[in-house]
Amino acid sequence: MKGGRVLALLLGLAGWGAAPARAADDAGEQAQVAAGEYVARAADCSACHSLPGGKPFAGGLAFHLPMGTIRASNITPDPKAGIGSYSEAEFARAVRQGIRRDGATLYPAMPYPSYAHMTDADVHALYVYFMKGVAPVATPVAPNDIVWPLSMRWPLVAWRMMFAPSGAQGVRTFADPQLARGAYLVEGPGHCGACHTPRGIAMQEKALTAVDGPLYLSGGSAVDGWNPVSLRGEMREGLGRWSEEDIVTFLQTGRVMHAAAFGGMTDAIRHGTQHLSDDDLRAIAHYLKSLPPAHPQARAWQYDETTGRTLHAGDLSARGARAYVDNCAACHRTDGRGYPTTFPPLAGNPVVMDASATSLIRIVLTGSVLRATHQAPSAFVMPGFAARMDDRAVADVVSFIRQSWGNDVPQVSAAEVAEVRRSLKGSGDAPPARQPLN
């Protein structure tokens, strides 16, 4: 009897010792899951791998590219439809090198040339998050719709060897730790260059980091019908007139005195940057403001009062002026200054002054939503005018905006508007609907 009580006591003590150990293990795993979720936010995984209204990371979002339609993969831990069968090494290889578990190369719509710069710690945390913190979804993604021979993946091996880093690149060294953190977030997980850097004939980014020269973040090629602007120090179409605090506010809310988010950037803010810490947002801003303009000789923007005075006097003789007053001036004002941060200004707006008018044309045709964020919980909707204006009318009003208030950039033609309209029909895109706070 006595021996039995001693044995029970010993077993009880052993169980007592194991419980704190299990609790510590659970706490450690939870901390890794939380760290991985933060990395996933910084890497904007949800914006590409989650359909609006769908289950998180179940894939299916379509990207309409010149080569055809690519659909984002299911990256939930389901072992068949998702990545549940991936080992951590296989996961890291896919993230950093663009090589699937079966050895096939991923299409570079997956920004693995940027993710190659991610640290081992961040990739590990990301793996733990997707395996332990994401619910598995057994729904397979529809196949890509790419014409042969572009649908063959084996040529992508050569592309990867020519244009993508071979593996983990590590963190570049800086004397300023804030600059180092900002460079890591922008060039690595944030993969800002995937949209905001121009691409070559093989669809490769012409620069992967600031070390590669002034083309990095100097303005991207069209992405899903939008034309990303420069994130460098240009005084007209870049961030030259923005302060670091402006950039932080924009990444938190999508709206500042100079401009408002549009296109894919709205999702990047909603799913990603609004969730980052203040320190990381300031590091990003500090790094972006360190980048000189790609074209330092370009003239600065200066406000011109002529158009505002003319419209205020009732003179609507300029081509596109009447359409502007009837459809745009109530929100953006006759002086072009808008009502920031509710209705963005058109005077001095980097999107308006971009060399390509594609984004501005698309906004006029389809409208836009200034989405709600945690720090700016009100959403504002601009209606689209595709049904109310023909190509000539849209060209006239866009040209009027681009040549007023000191913007002084080239007019657009009805043929350019028609091309954008055709691309919208081909992609099946519809005017955006109001989005809930998320």
Side-chain angles (χ1 to χ4, degrees):
M1 233 6 224
K2 183 176 180 182
R5 284 197 294 269
V6 171
L7 179 61
L9 177 61
L10 291 175
L11 289 174
L13 290 174
W16 180 86
R22 285 196 299 271
D25 289 344
D26 291 344
E29 183 176 280
Q30 290 171 5
Q32 280 292 297
V33 168
E37 182 178 16
Y38 187 86
V39 176
R41 296 284 196 185
D44 200 20
C45 302
S46 181
C48 290
H49 289 277
S50 302
L51 280 169
K55 295 182 178 179
F57 305 112
L61 187 67
F63 295 87
H64 304 287
L65 305 172
M67 61 188 290
T69 299
I70 295 175
R71 292 177 177 84
S73 56
N74 181 331
I75 55 172
T76 73
D78 183 82
K80 292 184 178 180
I83 59 171
S85 59
Y86 275 61
S87 68
E88 183 169 344
E90 290 166 340
F91 175 83
R93 188 173 70 155
V95 169
R96 286 172 166 165
Q97 297 175 256
I99 303 173
R100 296 191 316 198
R101 185 169 183 263
D102 63 3
T105 298
L106 294 169
Y107 289 105
M110 164 71 171
Y112 57 84
S114 296
Y115 291 163
H117 299 276
M118 291 176 63
T119 62
D120 291 343
D122 277 356
V123 173
H124 171 69
L126 201 61
Y127 179 75
V128 174
Y129 170 63
F130 279 114
M131 295 302 171
K132 303 292 186 180
V134 174
V137 178
T139 306
V141 173
N144 297 323
D145 184 14
I146 302 174
V147 297
W148 187 89
L150 297 177
S151 58
M152 295 189 298
R153 289 183 182 263
W154 65 264
L156 292 172
V157 176
W159 188 97
R160 178 163 45 83
M161 294 175 64
M162 293 173 62
F163 302 121
S166 59
Q169 303 299 297
V171 179
R172 291 199 284 122
T173 56
F174 294 84
D176 180 354
Q178 187 182 44
L179 198 62
R181 179 63 176 170
Y184 172 70
L185 290 168
V186 170
E187 297 176 357
H191 65 279
C192 303
C195 289
H196 291 274
T197 296
R199 291 181 179 264
I201 191 171
M203 296 303 293
Q204 82 282 11
E205 294 167 54
K206 292 185 176 180
L208 291 174
T209 71
V211 174
D212 299 326
L215 286 178
Y216 182 65
L217 300 183
S218 64
S221 307
V223 177
D224 252 8
W226 301 103
N227 207 72
V229 298
S230 172
L231 300 183
R232 299 181 70 93
E234 284 81 10
M235 298 299 290
R236 293 173 66 84
E237 68 275 25
L239 300 179
R241 291 179 288 121
W242 295 43
S243 67
E244 290 188 14
E245 195 59 38
D246 287 336
I247 297 172
V248 170
T249 301
F250 182 80
L251 295 176
Q252 290 172 331
T253 67
R255 57 197 81 179
V256 288
M257 295 298 292
H258 311 287
F262 68 94
M265 193 63 204
T266 60
D267 287 331
I269 292 169
R270 182 183 176 203
H271 296 292
T273 58
Q274 71 159 323
H275 301 281
L276 300 187
S277 69
D278 289 348
D279 285 345
D280 276 351
L281 291 177
R282 290 191 181 96
I284 290 171
H286 187 56
Y287 170 71
L288 292 177
K289 288 298 291 183
S290 75
L291 302 177
H295 307 287
Q297 72 280 4
R299 57 195 174 87
W301 174 79
Q302 186 173 358
Y303 183 75
D304 186 338
E305 297 180 352
T306 303
T307 298
R309 289 176 176 173
T310 301
L311 296 181
H312 187 72
D315 183 352
L316 304 179
S317 59
R319 191 163 194 164
R322 182 172 294 278
Y324 178 80
V325 169
D326 290 346
N327 298 286
C328 314
C331 295
H332 299 288
R333 297 172 38 175
T334 54
D335 63 6
R337 296 187 187 274
Y339 296 95
T341 53
T342 302
F343 304 119
L346 300 177
N349 191 307
V351 178
V352 172
M353 295 188 292
D354 191 63
S356 170
T358 300
S359 295
L360 183 57
I361 293 170
R362 178 166 177 171
I363 289 171
V364 172
L365 288 173
T366 67
S368 187
V369 176
L370 188 55
R371 298 186 191 274
T373 65
H374 293 301
Q375 294 197 30
S378 297
F380 299 96
V381 180
M382 172 183 160
F385 296 93
R388 294 177 54 183
M389 293 185 182
D390 62 17
D391 295 340
R392 180 71 267 166
V394 172
D396 287 347
V397 75
V398 169
S399 295
F400 177 81
I401 293 168
R402 281 167 63 85
Q403 295 201 312
S404 298
W405 312 296
N407 293 338
D408 193 23
V409 284
Q411 299 184 25
V412 302
S413 66
E416 291 176 80
V417 176
E419 179 60 32
V420 175
R421 198 189 292 264
R422 278 194 298 272
S423 71
L424 293 174
K425 290 179 180 177
S427 67
D429 286 346
R434 187 185 297 273
Q435 297 292 323
L437 175 65
N438 184 13

